[in-house]
Every structure is written in structure tokens, then in C-alpha cells.
């Protein structure tokens, strides 16, 4: 219970940081919207797509735009030298307010939809809750069982963070030979068997760091080596894995909302999905692709960038560095730099057994010195 309370406190502090970061453009009164109450939205167009607008309109809805109630277009009232404002009624069954701004009531004009993500306010006290998403990561690394670099850390920490938000998260990995000796996978058990590309595939499952993981074993020996990366053969091995992972989802009647693939190694997931699986029963997913390092597999990265619905990289600064690359530049409209975070449970200095002195905010100097 104490741990849950700490995590909730951290979540609320993070939301407060987000509100402060956005306040120069958009803020709400009250800061925390409540179901069944009014909320006033304030907007400053000066540093947005609507800079110089003489009139600002707001159009919105609720619950990821799926609620029957909508509002607007409403002409916002100037309430200060910089801000426009509009007050809306939040339904009792709304858990989120969704909205965009524009300089026209409708039709051609300028729109601020926050880079394609729309603007949102989280709502407390709703009689309904957001439905969970089913997210499947397809990756060749995962910490701590088969980590080589930062990709493995991201798969684990991001998966755990999204699961903590209430979503269903699964991870599909190759079953490398060395995993048979891992003390962390002693509970591995058989899940399913099917054929892909004239090859028998056996899938095993195990919980790793709280996440349901599936391990694809190839009867053709694609992953029978004792290493993640083997050199020149990797492109063929991982291309096969990408198709087999999608066949696993299809053969087990999984139809997730999001398939998240990572780097050049599982970049082929995007074109394989759209060319060979979307027209069949596996027709629900949208593809998210993350570039962890553009130094490798640039052709595969370009294909995934083109055929994903959104693609990201590990920070806004790295996004700026690679935005001019031919694999990235044609698709900048759906490209976002999202800074990597850390898992506060795995990397918690207050209970890390490998530190000589555990510390928190109360004794950070002593802990760092030790």
C-alpha cells in the first residue's frame, strides 16, 4: 500500500510538471477538471500555429472523441493581453476532455492540434474509465534477460510504465539458446506451436519484470546461437523473426491496438504487417516504430518510418540530429522525439542492494558521496 501511495504521488507530481510546462500555451481553471463541473480553458496562440490570429475557436469532445457530447466550435473570449478563454461543461461520465484550436470556425484555416496529438485535460471523478489498450512490443532485446544496449532497457521500462497505467502489455522476443540457461526464466512454459515460412515455430512464455513475454523458437535454428547479434546473418534471422512474431499474433487470435517495433532489427514488422497480415484477421493494430540508433539498418528504418502510423526516437535532441536523414526526412509529420525515462522501481537508490549506502531526497549528498 505504501509503495502504491508513493507511485501515485510521483504520478501527480509528474502531471503537475506537465501542466506547468504547458501553461504558457494552455492551462485550465481549475487545474484539475472534475466530471459534472465546469472548466475554463485558457489559450495563448502567440507561440503556436495560430500566432497573430484575430479570433480563436475551440472545438472539442470527450473520452478520446468517442463521447456522444461535443462542444464548439466556440469563439473564445480574450481574457488577458495574451490569453483567450472558453468555459465548458464536463459530463459526469467524461474521463478526458479533448480539443483543438483554430483561427476559423470550420473549413480551411490554421489549426493547433498539438502536433497531431490534440489537446487533452484529464478529468477526475468520472463515472466511466478509459478502456485499456493492448500493446505488443516486438523486439530482439529486453533487460535484464537479453540486453545488449539501451534498446533492452527501453522495452522493459516502457512496457512496465504503460502496464502501470492500466494497459495490457506483452513482449515478443526470439528464444535465443542462452535463454535456456537463464535463472530468471525458470518458470518458462510452452504456449503454442504453428508453422511459418515452412518452418515449425514453438512459442514459450514467462513473466519477466512483471511483463508477459513470449519467446519464438525456430525449428530452423535461427536463434540457436548464444548471442543476440551474430553479424552478417542478423538481417535474415531478424526478418524471419518479425514475420514469425506476427504469425504468432494471428495464430493465437491476438489483435492488439498497438504493435511497437524497435530499431532496424524489428523495423520489417511494419511492411510485413501491412503487406501480409492486415488484410486478414490481424486487422486492428496500428504500428509504432522507435529508432534507438540510426547508425545501422537505415534502409529497414526508412521502410518502417514510411509504413508506421507514428515513429519516435529517444530524445528531442536526437530527433533534431537525424531529422534530415533520407530515412526520416520524408516522414517528419509523424516523427517525435520522446526522451527516454527510467523505471523508478528498478533504479531506486533507496532500496538498491548494490549501493554501499541507500539514499533518498533526505540524504542524497551522503548517498552520492558513498
Amino acid at each position: 500500500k505504501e509503495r502504491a501511495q508513493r507511485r501515485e504521488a510521483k504520478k501527480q507530481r509528474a502531471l503537475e510538471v506537465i501542466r506547468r510546462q504547458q501553461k504558457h500555451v494552455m492551462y485550465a481553471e481549475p487545474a484539475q477538471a472534475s466530471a459534472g463541473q465546469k472548466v475554463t480553458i485558457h489559450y495563448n496562440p502567440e507561440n503556436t500555429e495560430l500566432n497573430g490570429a484575430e479570433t480563436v475557436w475551440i472545438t472539442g469532445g470527450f473520452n478520446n472523441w468517442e463521447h456522444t457530447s461535443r462542444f464548439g466550435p466556440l469563439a473564445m473570449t480574450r481574457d488577458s493581453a495574451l490569453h483567450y478563454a472558453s468555459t465548458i461543461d464536463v459530463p459526469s461520465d467524461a474521463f478526458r476532455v479533448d480539443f483543438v484550436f483554430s483561427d476559423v470556425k470550420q473549413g480551411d484555416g490554421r489549426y493547433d492540434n498539438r502536433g497531431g496529438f490534440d489537446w487533452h485535460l484529464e478529468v477526475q471523478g468520472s463515472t466511466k474509465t478509459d478502456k485499456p489498450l493492448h500493446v505488443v512490443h516486438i523486439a530482439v532485446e529486453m533487460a535484464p534477460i537479453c540486453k545488449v544496449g539501451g534498446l533492452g532497457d527501453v522495452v522493459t521500462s516502457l512496457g512496465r510504465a504503460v502496464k502501470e497505467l492500466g494497459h495490457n502489455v506483452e513482449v515478443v522476443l526470439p528464444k535465443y539458446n542462452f535463454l535456456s540457461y537463464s535463472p530468471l526464466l525458470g518458470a518458462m512454459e510452452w504456449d503454442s506451436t504453428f508453422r511459418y515460412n515452412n518452418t515449425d515455430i514453438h512459442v514459450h512464455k514467462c513473466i519477466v519484470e512483471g511483463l508477459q513475454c513470449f519467446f519464438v523458437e525456430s525449428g530452423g535454428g535461427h536463434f540457436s546461437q548464444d548471442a543476440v547479434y551474430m553479424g552478417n546473418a542478423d538481417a535474415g534471422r531478424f526478418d524471419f523473426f518479425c514475420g514469425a512474431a506476427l504469425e504468432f499474433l494471428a495464430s493465437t487470435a491476438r489483435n492488439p491496438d498497438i504493435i511497437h517495433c524497435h530499431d532496424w532489427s524489428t523495423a520489417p514488422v511494419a511492411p510485413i504487417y501491412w503487406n501480409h497480415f492486415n488484410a486478414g484477421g490481424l486487422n486492428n493494430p496500428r504500428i509504432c516504430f522507435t529508432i534507438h540508433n540510426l547508425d545501422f539498418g537505415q534502409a529497414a528504418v526508412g521502410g518502417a518510418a514510411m509504413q508506421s502510423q507514428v515513429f519516435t526516437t529517444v530524445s528531442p535532441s536526437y530527433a533534431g540530429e537525424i531529422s534530415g536523414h533520407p530515412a526520416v526526412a520524408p516522414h517528419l509529420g509523424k516523427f517525435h522525439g520522446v526522451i527516454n525515462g527510467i523505471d523508478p522501481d528498478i533504479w531506486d537508490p533507496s532500496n538498491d542492494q548494490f549501493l554501499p549506502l541507500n539514499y533518498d531526497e533526505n540524504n542524497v549528498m551522503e548517498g552520492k558521496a558513498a
Side-chain angles (χ1 to χ4, degrees):
K1 182 178 179 181
E2 182 180 348
R3 176 186 170 194
Q5 291 173 340
R6 289 200 309 268
R7 296 182 72 85
E8 179 62 24
K10 289 179 180 178
K11 176 182 175 182
Q12 293 305 319
R13 288 198 298 269
L15 290 174
E16 179 58 30
V17 169
I18 292 172
R19 286 193 285 265
R20 289 201 304 268
Q21 290 173 336
Q22 292 181 346
K23 192 171 183 179
H24 70 289
V25 176
M26 187 280 295
Y27 68 95
E29 290 182 321
Q32 176 65 69
S34 297
Q37 303 294 321
K38 295 181 181 294
V39 63
T40 299
I41 298 172
H42 301 262
Y43 176 69
N44 174 13
E46 187 175 72
N47 295 315
T48 75
E49 293 88 341
L50 304 190
N51 184 32
E54 296 182 0
T55 304
V56 175
W57 301 80
I58 183 172
T59 304
F62 307 93
N63 299 358
N64 304 321
W65 299 95
E66 295 181 354
H67 197 283
T68 54
S69 296
R70 297 287 180 95
F71 59 90
L74 301 173
M76 302 185 75
T77 303
R78 185 179 284 279
D79 68 336
S80 71
L82 296 176
H83 287 86
Y84 292 78
S86 187
T87 300
I88 62 170
D89 292 302
V90 181
S92 60
D93 59 349
F95 53 81
R96 183 173 295 118
V97 186
D98 317 293
F99 48 97
V100 298
F101 303 102
S102 62
D103 65 354
V104 292
K105 186 174 183 180
Q106 57 186 6
D108 293 338
R110 293 180 294 167
Y111 289 80
D112 178 3
N113 63 358
R114 203 169 66 88
F117 290 101
D118 297 339
W119 291 92
H120 304 282
L121 291 177
E122 299 302 314
V123 176
Q124 64 182 3
S126 174
T127 58
K128 291 187 65 176
T129 57
D130 197 359
K131 61 183 180 182
L133 295 173
H134 182 191
V135 181
V136 174
H137 290 268
I138 299 179
V140 303
E141 294 185 37
M142 180 184 181
I145 54 171
C146 51
K147 170 190 169 180
V148 177
L151 188 162
D153 288 319
V154 171
V155 170
T156 303
S157 59
L158 178 60
R160 284 165 54 92
V162 172
K163 181 183 177 182
E164 185 182 318
L165 293 175
H167 303 293
N168 175 21
V169 180
E170 297 176 321
V171 183
V172 184
L173 300 153
K175 188 178 183 296
Y176 305 110
N177 188 60
F178 64 83
L179 293 177
S180 300
Y181 318 125
S182 173
L184 301 176
L185 300 175
M188 185 181 290
E189 59 184 18
W190 174 86
D191 179 82
S192 58
T193 296
F194 57 90
R195 283 184 65 80
Y196 171 73
N197 201 21
N198 297 317
T199 304
D200 289 328
I201 304 294
H202 305 283
V203 177
H204 310 263
K205 62 183 179 181
C206 191
I207 302 295
V208 179
E209 296 291 353
L211 298 174
Q212 179 64 72
C213 297
F214 298 94
F215 300 88
V216 174
E217 179 182 7
S218 165
H222 292 81
F223 317 116
S224 60
Q225 301 82 5
D226 279 324
V228 173
Y229 300 106
M230 299 299 299
N232 292 335
D234 285 345
R237 295 167 65 226
F238 293 146
D239 282 1
F240 179 89
F241 166 66
C242 291
L246 290 169
E247 185 63 42
F248 164 67
L249 299 181
S251 67
T252 55
R254 283 175 166 78
N255 209 2
D257 298 289
I258 298 170
I259 296 175
H260 194 159
C261 47
H262 298 265
D263 247 353
W264 66 271
S265 48
T266 55
V269 164
I272 293 173
Y273 169 71
W274 290 110
N275 293 333
H276 300 289
F277 286 90
N278 176 257
L282 187 62
N283 56 9
N284 183 56
R286 295 298 180 261
I287 305 295
C288 175
F289 171 61
T290 295
I291 301 171
H292 298 264
N293 187 342
L294 192 55
D295 289 343
F296 306 98
Q298 295 165 355
V301 167
M306 180 176 69
Q307 300 210 44
S308 59
Q309 278 57 67
V310 63
F311 72 114
T312 69
T313 192
V314 296
S315 71
S317 59
Y318 191 55
E321 290 177 27
I322 66 175
S323 61
H325 192 281
V328 176
H331 316 291
L332 290 180
K334 53 182 177 178
F335 182 49
H336 305 275
V338 181
I339 194 164
N340 279 352
I342 62 170
D343 190 306
D345 283 342
I346 296 175
W347 301 100
D348 185 351
S350 68
N351 58 22
D352 191 330
Q353 61 180 321
F354 298 107
L355 291 179
L357 175 65
N358 292 124
Y359 63 91
D360 56 21
E361 62 271 19
N362 298 312
N363 65 329
V364 63
M365 298 306 294
E366 295 89 340
K368 289 284 190 179

